[in-house]
Amino acid sequence: MKYVLVTGGVVSGLGKGVTASSIGVVLKACGLRITSIKIDPYLNTDAGTMSPFEHGEVFVLDDGGEVDLDLGNYERFLDIKLTRDNNITTGKIYQSVINKEREGEYLGKTVQVVPHITNAIQDWIERVAMVPVDGQEGPADVCVIELGGTIGDIESMPFIEALGQFSYRVGAGNFCLVHVSLVPVLNVVGEQKTKPTQHSVRGLRGLGLTPNMLACRSTKELEENVKEKLSQFCHVPVLKLSFSTTDNVYVQLIALVDNEFFWLQAANIFTLYDVSNIWHIPLLLR
C-alpha cells in the first residue's frame, strides 16, 4: 500500500480536499485503485451536529455516516463509496482509546498521547486503507490521506506526530507528502511572495515531516524564479533529468522528440492557480 498525505499551511480554505481528490483522479487515470481518508482534528465525533454555515456541507454516506464535505469530493471525483470510518476525528480516536482503557486493554499502564493516541491513529489508517471502496475485491493501491486544519494548529499535533511515525512505519518509498500552501501576490508590488510558504514548510519540518512536493495556491501560475527560490529555502527539489532515446521506458515520449537526448522537467513544485471550475484542477496536476 502506498500513502499520499496532503497537508495545508499558512491559511485554511486553500482547497486541500479538492487537491487530494484531484491527485486521486490523476493516479486513477494511471490505472491505480484509490481509497481516501480525511482526518479532522476537531473534538466532534462527526460533522452531523456542526453548522454548515461555519463548517460547510455535511455529507451523508451510504452507511448513514455524517461526515466532512471533503469526503463528498472524494466520492464524486473518484466514483467510490466510502464509510464513516474513512473520516477520522479527534473525538473518534479519543473515544476508542478511552473505551479500551475502561475495558482494561492497556493492562494498567498510564495511557498517554504518545504512544497510545498516536498508535490508535496509525492503526486506524492502516485498517481503513485496506477496505475496498470501488466495488472490487482486495485493497486499493494508493490511499490518499488529507489532514484537515493548518500546520501549527494545536489540535492537530497528535496527528502530525502520528503521521511522522507512520512515514517510518510504512517506509520512505511508500509515503509521499504533498504540502498545499499559499503564495500571495501583493497588488501594490505585483510580486509573488514565498515567505509564508517558507515559514509553513519550516514549521512542518520542525514537527518531523518533510514535504516531497509543494502545491502552491496562487492567483496565477508560479514564475520560474519563484519556484527556484521555494526549492532553495524549502528543500524541495526542482529537477531536470536527462534521458537517452535508447531507454525503452520512455518510448512514447521519445516518439515526440527528434533529438538523441531530451530534458524532462520533474515538477516537485507546481501551481494550483485560481480556475473557474474545480474540475479543472486534475488537468493542472496532469
Side-chain angles (χ1 to χ4, degrees):
M1 174 70 69
K2 307 286 187 181
Y3 297 89
V4 177
L5 173 63
V6 178
T7 61
V10 184
V11 295
S12 60
L14 287 178
K16 296 187 300 296
V18 175
T19 302
S21 302
S22 300
I23 289 171
V25 169
V26 173
L27 294 175
K28 186 177 179 181
C30 295
L32 298 170
R33 293 174 58 202
I34 311 299
T35 186
S36 294
I37 295 174
K38 172 67 189 294
I39 298 175
D40 284 304
Y42 49 66
L43 282 169
N44 307 61
T45 55
D46 60 43
T49 58
M50 301 173 69
S51 168
F53 292 103
E54 177 181 333
H55 185 70
E57 172 192 23
V58 176
F59 190 76
V60 182
L61 300 170
D62 284 8
D63 66 356
E66 298 171 332
V67 295
D68 185 83
L69 61 88
D70 288 315
L71 279 86
N73 283 329
Y74 302 159
E75 287 204 349
R76 290 183 283 247
F77 272 67
L78 297 170
D79 191 25
I80 56 180
K81 296 296 181 184
L82 302 174
T83 69
R84 66 181 72 218
D85 284 347
N86 290 87
N87 188 202
I88 303 175
T89 69
T90 299
K92 287 182 179 179
I93 294 295
Y94 274 80
Q95 192 173 60
S96 68
V97 170
I98 290 171
N99 289 340
K100 286 182 180 180
E101 185 273 332
R102 291 290 84 191
E103 294 167 2
E105 290 192 27
Y106 298 119
L107 302 176
K109 292 182 179 179
T110 302
V111 180
Q112 298 174 289
V113 173
V114 180
H116 299 99
I117 294 296
T118 53
N119 284 347
I121 294 168
Q122 295 177 71
D123 293 342
W124 191 305
I125 291 172
E126 279 197 327
R127 173 175 59 84
V128 174
M130 300 301 290
V131 178
V133 295
D134 56 2
Q136 302 181 42
E137 295 183 358
D141 300 306
V142 182
C143 179
V144 180
I145 306 166
E146 178 194 346
L147 176 61
T150 306
I151 295 301
D153 293 345
I154 191 169
E155 60 264 25
S156 64
M157 291 302 178
F159 293 102
I160 294 287
E161 176 63 29
L163 290 165
Q165 294 178 16
F166 191 68
S167 66
Y168 288 99
R169 180 169 171 171
V170 300
N174 298 315
F175 188 88
C176 177
L177 172 53
V178 181
H179 188 57
V180 183
S181 186
L182 179 67
V183 179
V185 178
L186 298 182
N187 290 332
V188 176
V189 183
E191 180 184 358
Q192 293 175 329
K193 292 295 184 180
T194 64
K195 191 64 71 177
T197 297
Q198 291 181 43
H199 283 299
S200 180
V201 171
R202 188 174 300 141
L204 188 61
R205 290 168 62 86
L207 295 170
L209 285 171
T210 300
N212 302 103
M213 294 184 176
L214 292 181
C216 298
R217 291 283 291 110
S218 187
T219 55
K220 58 182 181 179
E221 190 168 2
L222 287 189
E223 299 169 2
E224 286 303 316
N225 66 310
V226 174
K227 286 185 180 182
E228 291 172 4
K229 189 174 182 180
L230 284 171
S231 176
Q232 180 181 0
F233 286 99
C234 299
H235 302 175
V236 177
V238 178
L239 304 174
K240 286 186 176 180
L241 306 175
S242 177
F243 298 104
S244 169
T245 53
T246 58
D247 193 338
N248 292 329
V249 176
Y250 298 97
V251 169
Q252 292 181 338
L253 288 176
I254 292 164
L256 302 177
V257 297
D258 297 325
N259 299 328
E260 185 176 355
F261 291 90
F262 66 97
W263 294 98
L264 176 67
Q265 185 76 23
N268 288 42
I269 300 174
F270 50 91
T271 322
L272 297 180
Y273 52 84
D274 295 345
V275 292
S276 59
N277 191 308
I278 60 172
W279 296 96
H280 295 167
I281 301 299
L283 300 178
L284 295 183
L285 288 177
R286 183 191 65 175

